[in-house]
């Protein structure tokens, strides 16, 4: 808590304790990295009950200002709601794993006309990935409106 400059009795420390990060209990796996330990603890604590499903909700709000149009402002709200499949893939696995898998496929099949390191905000990446995600049923709905003050 001192290192993170947070309350030692606050919710963050309470959650880290619940996860088991401060326990002396042996985890029982041959972990080689701290990431493997964290993954093991998360898998143990964050299990969905049988036939349960998760849900991912993403909401992006952008306000655009157009100086050439008399400083007109527009708000664009983009939302996506995805549900996991009971006993199948979670919404988290679909929304995180599918974009990474599509990008990997694009690289391996030489369909990405880029070299070097790029973040996914490059049009050559996001346009193709979003197109494939839309074809798979993962899509955003956009609404444009007057900005709400």
């Amino acid at each position: 808590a001192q290192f993170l400059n947070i309350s030692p009795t606050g919710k963050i420390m309470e959650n880290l304790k619940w996860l088991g990060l401060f326990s002396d209990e042996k985890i029982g796996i041959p972990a080689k990295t701290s990431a493997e330990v964290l993954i093991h603890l998360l898998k143990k604590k964050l299990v969905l009950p049988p036939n349960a499903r998760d849900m991912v909700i993403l909401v992006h709000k952008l306000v655009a200002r157009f100086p050439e149009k008399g400083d007109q402002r527009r708000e664009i709200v983009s939302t996506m709601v995805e549900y996991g499949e009971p006993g199948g893939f979670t919404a988290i696995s679909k929304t995180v794993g599918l974009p990474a898998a599509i990008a990997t496929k694009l690289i391996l099949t030489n369909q990405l006309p880029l070299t070097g390191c790029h973040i996914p905000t490059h049009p050559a990446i996001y346009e193709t990935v979003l197109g494939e995600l839309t074809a798979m049923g993962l899509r955003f709905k956009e609404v444009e409106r007057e900005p709400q003050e």
Side-chain angles (χ1 to χ4, degrees), residues 35-56:
E36 289 177 350
V37 172
L38 185 58
I39 290 168
H40 174 76
L41 292 172
L42 288 169
K43 282 182 172 181
K44 202 164 78 170
K45 289 285 191 168
L46 301 177
V47 177
L48 282 175
N51 296 318
R53 65 183 188 163
D54 66 336
M55 177 175 63
V56 170

Side-chain angles (χ1 to χ4, degrees), residues 114-147:
L114 302 171
T115 58
C117 294
H118 296 273
I119 59 174
T121 55
H122 191 290
I125 300 170
Y126 76 78
E127 288 175 353
T128 307
V129 171
L130 286 177
E132 290 200 31
L133 289 172
T134 298
M136 295 175 170
L138 286 171
R139 62 180 54 90
F140 281 88
K141 294 178 184 170
E142 289 188 352
V143 175
E144 189 173 329
R145 62 186 185 200
E146 293 292 324

Side-chain angles (χ1 to χ4, degrees), residues 1 24 41 45 60 87 93 96 104 110-111 113 126-128 144:
D24 291 333
L41 292 172
K45 289 285 191 168
H60 300 156
S93 70
V96 173
T104 301
N110 292 319
Q111 295 179 49
Y126 76 78
E127 288 175 353
T128 307
E144 189 173 329

